[in-house]
């Protein structure tokens, strides 16, 4: 499912216009991203938790040349599904 299909599905479930559904989806994504940037986590009970994880610097290889290179440390977003979501998917 892509973004357009998701907006359409939200629109049908909520009886909102596609424009309003897209605005709501965009607002959700923006709020989650802002909270993650601030080091916060976003927990939606029954769905899951969005949080960040720090990756240490490490050594890697350039796949084209095989040359060793240093991959710098970074912060990455991650999602952990909640029990209710896991149960629903496994029905």
């Amino acid at each position: 499912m892509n973004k357009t299909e998701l907006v359409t599905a939200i629109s049908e479930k909520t009886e909102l216009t596609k424009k309003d559904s897209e605005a709501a989806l965009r607002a959700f994504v923006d709020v989650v991203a802002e909270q993650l940037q601030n080091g916060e986590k976003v927990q939606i009970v029954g769905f899951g938790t969005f949080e960040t994880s720090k990756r240490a610097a490490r050594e890697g290889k350039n796949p084209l040349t095989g040359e060793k290179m240093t991959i710098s440390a970074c912060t990455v977003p991650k999602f952990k599904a909640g029990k209710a979501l896991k149960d629903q998917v496994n029905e």
Side-chain angles (χ1 to χ4, degrees), residues 6-54:
L6 181 58
V7 167
T8 301
I10 291 170
S11 176
E12 290 171 0
K13 285 245 183 202
T14 62
E15 298 181 7
L16 293 172
T17 65
K18 285 185 181 181
K19 186 176 181 178
D20 290 341
S21 297
E22 184 174 3
L25 178 61
R26 190 176 324 115
F28 172 77
V29 171
D30 289 346
V31 168
V32 170
E34 288 170 8
Q35 292 303 306
L36 294 178
Q37 276 181 323
N38 294 332
E40 301 291 325
K41 70 178 184 179
V42 178
Q43 183 175 8
I44 303 170
V45 176
F47 183 69
T49 304
F50 297 90
E51 57 190 342
T52 57
S53 177
K54 296 198 184 294

Side-chain angles (χ1 to χ4, degrees), residues 63-83:
L64 295 176
T65 64
E67 180 183 334
K68 289 185 179 183
M69 57 188 281
T70 301
I71 301 170
S72 59
C74 62
T75 302
V76 294
K78 66 182 195 178
F79 175 76
K80 182 178 177 186
K83 184 179 181 332

